[in-house]
Amino acid sequence: MTAAEMQWEQSLYSGAPGIALLHIANAREGRAGWDTVHEWTTSMVRHEVNADPSASGLFEGAPAVAFALHFANRPSYGPALVILDQHITDATRHRMRAAHARIDRGALPRLREFDVISGLTGLGSYCLSRTSRHPLLPEILSYLVRLTEPVRADGELLPGWWSSDGPELRPSRAWPGGHGNLGLAHGITGPLAFLAIAMRRGVTVPGHANAIRYICAMLDQWCQGTGAGAWWPTMLNREEWKSRTANQRVPERPSWCYGTPGITRALQLAALALGDRSRQHGAETALAACATDDHQLARLTDASLCHGWAGLIRTVQRAADDADPDSPLATALPSLRGRMRSHLDRVGAPTARGLMEGSDGIDLAQLDTTAHPTSAPHWDACLLLTG
């Protein structure tokens, strides 16, 4: 099998597992049959599934395939899931051993060690979606708690999640000393959201609440503006960290992966986990303001789930599900949906298939979140949006 075939067959981001999610959602809601689902799930396992610890994460390899099969919730997929889960457990434990050894050495992490897309946060989300009694969950949560402990690098005290990578997920001369990533997809708000979701599901470890509070306090420190004007820089270099002053002067585009929507959803989940009504109100206020600000919305240039209209809509929708009934989040949704339809009418839907940047993710984001029983798996658990 070529690398391209493997990427397509086993990529939740852009390949068959992500496309399968849309067909599964339609079958579960009675809009289509299960034959098409089976065709797509069969294509995922046509070749040997990749469970190499260095090349598999929630959005790639065995965890991506298993997430789609789990979402289908079909007894016929049970035997395959048992096999996949054992490989995922082995790979995850291997990665945790490497992560703890890295911390013991006092080295900085790579982004893919802990992020949602490729790292232990995403693997933890998969485990939690399977069952809140998953034996790996305490180990992953304890690692994430440890990730919040400071580390000394080049004589400077840095947060434990400060990455040696640049934003392109590899070391970069443009980012000497690495960077601090605040985004949901690759940064510290991914662990924040997962820690909060696990706590709300009743899964906790020593230091859990303090880790959530620490990340929230750090985000408070870097918040630009107050109230409805609050927003956050997406990433920080070493000079910014040292001076405690962000160079970014305007908000990033309002997307799931980076920017105010993903960050505020993580903060809302943290507030709900801690019972912090003031923080919850602040997060919802900032998100509602972002979702109704023409200047920020004008920065969206595509309809994708990762960084476009669909991701913003799904994030606002999930935040509205958890907000007070009189929250302005719910009233913002009809306008956002209308603006996405206008965008699609004007430029057309993406020709590419796939979950995160293709047409399948856009269609999924428009489905009703209340259509399934609360006990059923949710496709957007992979985005850490389901609380």
Side-chain angles (χ1 to χ4, degrees):
M1 177 172 55
T2 67
E5 287 174 327
M6 179 182 292
Q7 184 178 31
W8 186 84
E9 290 178 2
Q10 300 172 24
S11 171
L12 190 61
Y13 194 99
S14 58
I19 297 169
L21 295 184
L22 176 62
H23 293 287
I24 294 165
N26 284 327
R28 280 171 50 166
E29 295 177 14
R31 290 193 296 266
W34 287 95
D35 289 346
T36 302
V37 170
H38 190 64
E39 291 174 9
W40 281 98
T41 55
T42 299
S43 73
M44 296 188 301
V45 294
R46 183 178 295 118
H47 298 96
E48 182 177 338
V49 177
N50 184 12
D52 183 340
S54 66
S56 60
L58 177 56
F59 280 75
E60 52 197 320
V65 172
F67 183 85
L69 295 180
H70 172 63
F71 177 60
N73 203 27
R74 303 284 283 184
S76 58
Y77 297 146
L81 273 169
V82 169
I83 296 170
L84 287 168
D85 278 344
Q86 185 57 60
H87 288 293
I88 293 167
T89 295
D90 293 343
T92 302
R93 288 210 162 104
H94 176 92
R95 294 187 63 169
M96 281 192 292
R97 286 193 296 271
H100 284 295
R102 189 271 308 163
I103 295 174
D104 291 341
R105 294 194 307 273
L108 296 174
R110 304 291 302 275
L111 288 176
R112 69 171 289 118
E113 177 186 296
F114 66 84
D115 74 3
V116 175
I117 301 296
S118 302
L120 287 163
T121 296
L123 291 169
S125 179
Y126 170 74
C127 293
L128 184 60
S129 73
R130 293 287 281 144
T131 171
S132 60
R133 297 181 297 277
H134 198 291
L136 282 179
L137 284 173
E139 299 176 44
I140 296 173
L141 291 167
S142 294
Y143 155 75
L144 292 176
V145 169
R146 196 178 183 199
L147 188 70
T148 64
E149 298 172 359
V151 62
R152 187 168 295 278
D154 304 322
E156 184 176 4
L157 200 62
L158 295 169
W161 48 270
W162 191 276
S163 177
S164 59
D165 286 337
E168 297 81 17
L169 312 185
R170 60 182 181 272
S172 169
R173 291 182 179 179
W175 292 81
H179 81 295
N181 195 305
L182 305 187
L184 184 59
H186 296 293
I188 191 57
T189 45
L192 175 63
F194 177 61
L195 286 163
I197 291 168
M199 179 173 281
R200 295 185 74 198
R201 291 279 297 274
V203 186
T204 60
V205 296
H208 196 136
N210 284 339
I212 292 175
R213 293 189 184 98
Y214 161 78
I215 300 171
C216 288
M218 183 277 304
L219 290 170
D220 290 345
Q221 176 185 346
W222 288 99
C223 182
Q224 312 293 299
T226 59
W231 60 275
W232 291 260
T234 57
M235 54 196 73
L236 307 163
N237 63 33
R238 289 282 281 271
E239 289 302 315
E240 289 173 289
W241 182 261
K242 189 180 298 184
S243 67
R244 298 297 189 264
T245 303
N247 294 333
Q248 187 177 329
R249 298 304 180 195
V250 296
E252 178 62 82
R253 59 187 171 186
S255 59
W256 166 81
C257 56
Y258 287 103
T260 299
I263 292 172
T264 50
R265 175 56 172 161
L267 284 168
Q268 182 199 34
L269 289 167
L272 290 164
L274 297 174
D276 187 338
R277 294 283 294 173
S278 176
R279 183 174 296 282
Q280 179 185 347
H281 176 75
E284 292 167 4
T285 298
L287 178 55
C290 164
T292 54
D293 181 355
D294 287 337
H295 292 290
Q296 293 190 61
L297 296 178
R299 298 176 68 84
L300 292 175
T301 58
D302 66 70
S304 74
L305 190 61
C306 183
H307 43 252
W309 286 102
L312 171 61
I313 289 170
R314 192 62 172 188
T315 305
V316 171
Q317 188 174 28
R318 280 305 193 188
D321 290 344
D322 283 330
D324 292 332
D326 58 350
S327 168
L329 288 169
T331 59
L333 280 168
S335 175
L336 291 175
R337 292 189 179 107
R339 293 182 75 145
M340 183 167 76
R341 286 194 296 270
S342 296
H343 172 89
L344 292 171
D345 289 342
R346 187 173 66 255
V347 305
T351 55
R353 299 293 302 273
L355 178 65
M356 299 305 293
E357 296 187 15
S359 58
D360 302 272
I362 295 169
D363 291 341
L364 266 171
Q366 297 179 80
L367 298 180
D368 183 6
T369 61
T370 62
H372 310 141
T374 56
S375 60
H378 291 283
W379 70 267
D380 56 359
C382 66
L383 304 180
L384 292 182
L385 293 179
T386 305

